[in-house]
Amino acid sequence: MSTKIERLNTSITWFVGASFDGTEDQTPRFLAEGVWENGYEDKYLDIVKSMRVGDRIAIKSSYLRKHGLPFDNRGQIVSVMAIKAIGTITENYDDGRHVRVEWTKLEPIREWYFYTNRKTVWRVLPGDWMADGLIDFAFNGKAQDIERFRNDPFWRERFGSSISGKHRFGWIKFYEAVAGKLLIYRSNRSALVAGLEEISGRVEGIGYLLDQYADGTTGFLKDICPFTTIGLFNRGLTETKRIAIARELGRFLGVEEPAPDTFDGIPLLNPQNSWFFPFEKDRKPDQIDALWNVFAAAIKLADSDTDEARDEFVKAFDHANGRPNVAWNLTFGLYWIRPWTFLGLDSDSRAYVTKKLGVSLGLRGPKKRCNASDYLAAMDVLVSRFQEASYPVHSYPELSLEAWHYQEPASEATASDTHDNDEAADDGSEDVTQEAPQSAIPIAPYTIEDILRDGCFLEREEIVHLLDRLRMKKNLILQGPPGTGKTWLAKRLAFALMGQKDDSKVRAVQFHPNLSYEDFVRGWRPSGDGKLSLADGIFMEAIKAVAKNPLSEWVVVIEEINRGNPAQIFGELLTLLEAGKRTPNEALELCYPDADGKRRPIHIPENLYVIGTMNIADRSLALVDLALRRRFAFVNLEPRLGSVWRDWVIKECAIDPALALDIERRMTELNNRIETDPQLGKQFKIGHSYVTPVQRLKAEGTRNWFVQIVETEIGPLLEEYWFDAPEKAREARIRLVQNW
């Protein structure tokens, strides 16, 4: 069964590959046949099923380039994405693999830089300047603002034109060049060992490479892994010795880059335990091979972040991880060889990542350390955060350097945080805790068009404006008279912001006079044993949920936000709501500690949004606190009775067409009277929700339905409005149904 409906103008765009598992480029065939195919039978199936008719799609090819770029890349490798064709999806076969597309071939191919993705299917939503720029580039033919990208905090350290003088992390080029040259020795390790033995006779600090052989004798190493080799100058030695060893190793390998004279942001091995493998007499025959496999797979992943390279890295990492002498130090080695790509998890960095940045580390590998999936997941989170201008760090080298200066609270430190490679498994066990299989959750896309189809009577441009304000301000309040669809719209804005209909990422709460900080943030609650225990409220639960899944947008919807005391309910988090303070650098401690008694600074993540609703017709409510008002964008919603409303209620609710026009006239007259009343005003007008049936009416049921609405809903509201002038309320109610 396929999906084929009339073309729609949606907000989702797709950038897809045309080569799978090493196959030839399928672009010519796709263009000739008017199709796009997912070349995998076990990947991206749900994502492809979520593609919809009208979605825009582009064929892309991602790769790296060092030369021939239209800007000064300062000798650094740049990520490039070529756009080969663009089109519109016209049919989805719902098999997770095939869609029909009306293609337009681009000649010549256009190249986009920096903000790229090498996965086969990349779903791009508008809303931030990078995504908007890519969409305009691919589909509207606009030029890329290269200067803005290269000087963005995420890329500035490597490519920025605004940085003058000496750049930080000058050691990186040398380290990457050493790794590249070492890869040549993967199948000729005897030559590498011979070279190291020759250097050890001339340079102080390498004499520790003495092995204990299987026959009981000792001598210089017969085999070595790449990480131990690079570790020669990344141990606890004097800087002078490190420079000398690095220089000699670089000369032997034929590295053209000069040896560094500083080593800022580089994690070091324990000099007493700096091998990544045990003595020959104690190690398994394949351990050094396994380490070379990780090394090669990591370089491949860094240079071509494809699905195949990722799978190969996962397999190699987990095969080597947890063996004797292999622990957190494996991530050191990965960081050394490609510092812009891999995270080094020394004790300082682990503390900084988890306690300062609030990013959790999965520990499902051997000895409660990361397995490959945990490691990649943490890096996926960090890379997305690095691209936030206000984030404390914007790259792994910067993170490593900041971590070295970071002083975690004394109450947070644990004994396990003071050791790195000396935590290595001592039994050679390769057991890895397996992740429980999870059933795939189908993606239900949700866009502005879905809001309109669901029955929103705003213009499309107005919804775009609402989402823009929400993305920029992070906090939005929909205010208006009763019945203007504030609550209805709030949740749908949340879905459109996320690009999918996912109730699990939307938390809803209603403020009321009795709601407190202890209910909303954290406080003491009765427990089952009759005692009191600290418990998180809905807002802290949302913050923690975002920390566990920080790659998606999350939304807290607060209904009737002005019925409570927002300043009291939010407490110190009111300060952190501000868009410019959504960073770990602005973290504050809560009034109450965590459940374990420790106080940990809290910040509100960038991707946690708040949408409030506010009834401005309720006289019992006080004015909104100015501090709250400064942190929210306020948008007025008004009754929407007009052609869009009429078309909807006639088609979807079976209201008689002639009577729909009459209802609109009567309600408009009533609202005009309310607006001009000196005791009321426009904030007391009656919204369209009152005259929009929630269910389809029975045939010829419009007259009876409207009379019931007036008698039981609109009439009592008018009596409340004119509580001191009951004749006005009675007259207005009578006029609503007069001659009906």
Side-chain angles (χ1 to χ4, degrees):
M1 178 180 178
S2 68
T3 301
K4 186 175 184 179
I5 59 177
E6 68 275 7
R7 181 171 302 177
L8 302 168
N9 179 23
T10 67
S11 301
I12 296 177
T13 57
W14 303 90
F15 291 82
V16 296
S19 179
F20 321 97
D21 281 329
T23 60
E24 293 183 0
D25 185 6
Q26 301 294 306
T27 301
R29 181 173 68 85
F30 291 167
L31 298 184
E33 298 178 6
V35 299
W36 178 78
E37 295 178 0
N38 170 18
Y40 299 99
E41 296 182 355
D42 57 350
K43 295 179 183 179
Y44 304 115
L45 301 182
D46 288 328
I47 295 177
V48 175
K49 287 180 182 178
S50 74
M51 293 179 175
R52 299 197 298 188
V53 171
D55 285 356
R56 294 181 293 183
I57 187 170
I59 295 178
K60 52 94 173 176
S61 176
S62 301
Y63 42 88
L64 302 175
R65 181 184 295 161
K66 191 173 183 179
H67 305 288
L69 293 158
F71 55 90
D72 180 12
N73 59 317
R74 307 212 317 257
Q76 300 280 357
I77 295 174
V78 178
S79 181
V80 184
M81 188 168 73
I83 308 298
K84 300 179 177 181
I86 59 175
T88 303
I89 296 175
T90 59
E91 185 174 1
N92 190 329
Y93 292 93
D94 293 333
D95 59 358
R97 299 193 61 198
H98 301 86
V99 294
R100 291 201 64 81
V101 181
E102 185 178 294
W103 289 114
T104 298
K105 184 178 181 180
L106 296 185
E107 291 182 315
I109 291 172
R110 304 182 69 213
E111 287 190 336
W112 170 269
Y113 307 101
F114 302 113
Y115 180 64
T116 68
N117 188 301
R118 281 175 262 181
K119 292 184 178 180
T120 300
V121 182
W122 185 20
R123 177 173 174 261
V124 177
L125 293 172
D128 68 79
W129 69 270
M130 294 184 193
D132 291 345
L134 173 58
I135 293 169
D136 276 342
F137 175 86
F139 296 97
N140 301 325
K142 294 186 178 181
Q144 181 180 6
D145 187 349
I146 293 177
E147 285 301 302
R148 184 176 185 183
F149 276 90
R150 64 187 294 207
N151 290 296
D152 180 80
F154 183 58
W155 291 285
R156 184 172 55 219
E157 197 74 53
R158 287 167 282 175
F159 309 106
S161 59
S162 60
I163 295 180
S164 59
K166 186 176 180 179
H167 298 274
R168 296 188 299 175
F169 315 122
W171 52 268
I172 289 180
K173 288 185 179 180
F174 177 80
Y175 275 63
E176 291 182 335
V178 166
K181 294 293 186 180
L182 268 178
L183 190 58
I184 300 172
Y185 288 90
R186 183 183 184 188
S187 57
N188 188 18
R189 295 185 327 235
S190 60
L192 175 60
V193 170
L196 295 178
E197 187 171 13
E198 190 276 329
I199 294 173
S200 70
R202 296 183 289 102
V203 179
E204 185 180 356
I206 310 183
Y208 70 101
L209 296 179
L210 296 177
D211 203 352
Q212 296 180 15
Y213 303 142
D215 61 6
T217 61
T218 61
F220 199 84
L221 287 171
K222 297 178 181 178
D223 200 358
I224 194 169
C225 76
F227 302 119
T228 303
T229 302
I230 301 178
L232 293 173
F233 57 92
N234 290 289
R235 305 183 298 130
L237 303 174
T238 65
E239 193 162 281
T240 301
K241 289 182 179 179
R242 293 179 65 190
I243 293 172
I245 296 172
R247 184 180 296 119
E248 289 300 322
L249 181 61
R251 184 178 294 122
F252 164 72
L253 294 173
V255 173
E256 296 180 359
E257 295 288 341
D261 53 12
T262 60
F263 300 89
D264 295 335
I266 303 176
L268 300 179
L269 298 172
N270 183 336
Q272 304 301 317
N273 188 9
S274 54
W275 291 13
F276 285 68
F277 50 86
F279 293 131
E280 181 187 271
K281 67 183 182 65
D282 299 320
R283 68 175 177 260
K284 291 184 177 180
D286 69 335
Q287 176 154 345
I288 293 180
D289 287 334
L291 291 165
W292 277 98
N293 291 342
V294 179
F295 178 75
I299 291 177
K300 180 178 179 180
L301 179 62
D303 294 348
S304 59
D305 186 10
T306 61
D307 296 308
E308 295 81 7
R310 201 173 177 97
D311 291 343
E312 183 178 332
F313 175 80
V314 168
K315 182 178 179 181
F317 185 101
D318 285 340
H319 186 56
N321 190 24
R323 295 181 182 231
N325 291 53
V326 180
W328 295 112
N329 57 339
L330 183 58
T331 67
F332 300 10
L334 296 171
Y335 174 74
W336 294 336
I337 65 176
R338 289 293 185 267
W340 299 115
T341 303
F342 292 106
L343 167 67
L345 286 173
D346 58 290
S347 58
D348 289 336
S349 293
R350 297 200 303 275
Y352 188 81
V353 166
T354 58
K355 299 182 174 76
K356 172 66 174 179
L357 301 181
V359 175
S360 60
L361 292 175
L363 301 174
R364 297 172 298 177
K367 307 296 181 181
K368 294 185 178 181
R369 303 186 190 96
C370 292
N371 63 18
S373 296
D374 299 329
Y375 183 57
L376 291 174
M379 291 195 296
D380 287 342
V381 171
L382 287 168
V383 167
S384 70
R385 294 297 197 207
F386 289 163
Q387 297 176 44
E388 298 170 4
S390 61
Y391 207 60
V393 292
H394 299 96
S395 67
Y396 297 126
E398 191 176 358
L399 185 156
S400 184
L401 183 60
E402 289 297 315
W404 189 75
H405 296 291
Y406 174 64
Q407 296 291 326
E408 63 176 306
S411 61
E412 296 286 327
T414 63
S416 62
D417 288 330
T418 62
H419 304 286
D420 293 312
N421 58 309
D422 54 340
E423 294 177 28
D426 57 3
D427 57 1
S429 171
E430 298 181 45
D431 176 55
V432 177
T433 303
Q434 296 296 320
E435 181 180 2
Q438 299 180 353
S439 57
I441 301 176
I443 296 174
Y446 199 88
T447 65
I448 293 173
E449 280 65 36
D450 292 291
I451 298 180
L452 295 171
R453 282 195 294 270
D454 284 349
C456 181
F457 307 137
L458 297 176
E459 297 294 331
R460 189 182 193 282
E461 291 72 21
E462 293 177 285
I463 303 175
V464 170
H465 173 70
L466 291 177
L467 288 171
D468 285 345
R469 294 302 300 140
L470 178 57
R471 290 189 182 101
M472 183 173 294
K473 193 70 174 178
K474 305 295 183 185
N475 313 301
L476 177 72
I477 286 181
L478 304 175
Q479 62 179 9
T484 48
K486 299 179 291 295
T487 299
W488 182 94
L489 181 59
K491 197 165 187 178
R492 285 162 176 80
L493 285 175
F495 291 150
L497 177 76
M498 297 185 292
Q500 60 186 30
K501 196 169 186 177
D502 188 349
D503 287 295
S504 69
K505 293 184 176 64
V506 179
R507 300 294 303 272
V509 62
Q510 180 167 341
F511 276 12
H512 55 77
N514 290 329
L515 192 73
S516 68
Y517 174 93
E518 287 74 14
D519 299 315
F520 188 65
V521 180
R522 178 180 290 167
W524 293 100
R525 311 274 181 81
S527 58
D529 56 5
K531 299 179 181 179
L532 294 177
S533 61
L534 281 170
D536 288 333
I538 188 172
F539 199 62
M540 272 305 300
E541 289 176 351
I543 290 175
K544 290 183 175 180
V546 173
K548 294 178 181 178
N549 188 357
L551 297 181
S552 303
E553 285 78 13
W554 296 68
V555 180
V556 173
V557 175
I558 303 175
E559 298 183 32
E560 305 286 4
I561 193 169
N562 56 333
R563 284 193 175 276
N565 184 336
Q568 183 183 59
I569 293 171
F570 276 101
E572 62 277 339
L573 292 186
L574 183 61
T575 297
L576 302 183
L577 274 177
E578 195 167 333
K581 296 185 177 181
R582 300 292 194 92
T583 167
N585 282 342
E586 301 289 343
L588 297 174
E589 292 184 359
L590 300 183
C591 292
Y592 297 99
D594 290 348
D596 59 6
K598 296 180 180 178
R599 292 186 178 275
R600 297 177 176 87
I602 296 296
H603 77 282
I604 300 176
E606 281 267 1
N607 55 324
L608 178 59
Y609 299 80
V610 178
I611 303 177
T613 68
M614 194 164 74
N615 182 356
I616 58 176
D618 194 333
R619 293 187 178 95
S620 67
L621 303 180
L623 294 175
V624 174
D625 184 274
L626 290 178
L628 180 78
R629 184 172 291 278
R630 188 169 66 83
R631 288 165 173 82
F632 281 79
F634 285 74
V635 176
N636 291 313
L637 298 183
E638 297 185 350
R640 291 287 177 143
L641 296 168
S643 60
V644 178
W645 172 81
R646 287 198 307 275
D647 291 344
W648 172 267
V649 295
I650 291 170
K651 180 180 178 181
E652 302 294 335
C653 306
I655 285 185
D656 182 275
L659 295 180
L661 189 62
D662 195 13
I663 291 172
E664 179 185 345
R665 179 186 61 78
R666 292 168 184 264
M667 292 298 298
T668 300
E669 289 177 356
L670 173 61
N671 279 331
N672 289 339
R673 183 177 181 186
I674 291 173
E675 184 174 4
T676 57
D677 189 292
Q679 293 181 333
L680 299 178
K682 66 179 182 179
Q683 70 268 31
F684 288 88
K685 292 196 291 187
I686 297 174
H688 50 266
S689 296
Y690 282 92
V691 289
T692 305
V694 295
Q695 296 178 343
R696 193 173 181 84
L697 300 181
K698 297 179 180 179
E700 300 181 358
T702 301
R703 292 183 183 278
N704 183 54
W705 166 80
F706 183 65
V707 170
Q708 291 180 354
I709 291 297
V710 173
E711 289 180 351
T712 63
E713 297 183 37
I714 299 177
L717 181 61
L718 295 175
E719 291 173 358
E720 183 178 328
Y721 281 1
W722 285 300
F723 66 94
D724 56 350
E727 283 303 315
K728 282 188 177 182
R730 179 174 175 276
E731 179 187 352
R733 185 177 69 249
I734 291 174
R735 291 180 65 175
L736 268 179
V737 293
Q738 193 171 30
N739 300 322
W740 177 253

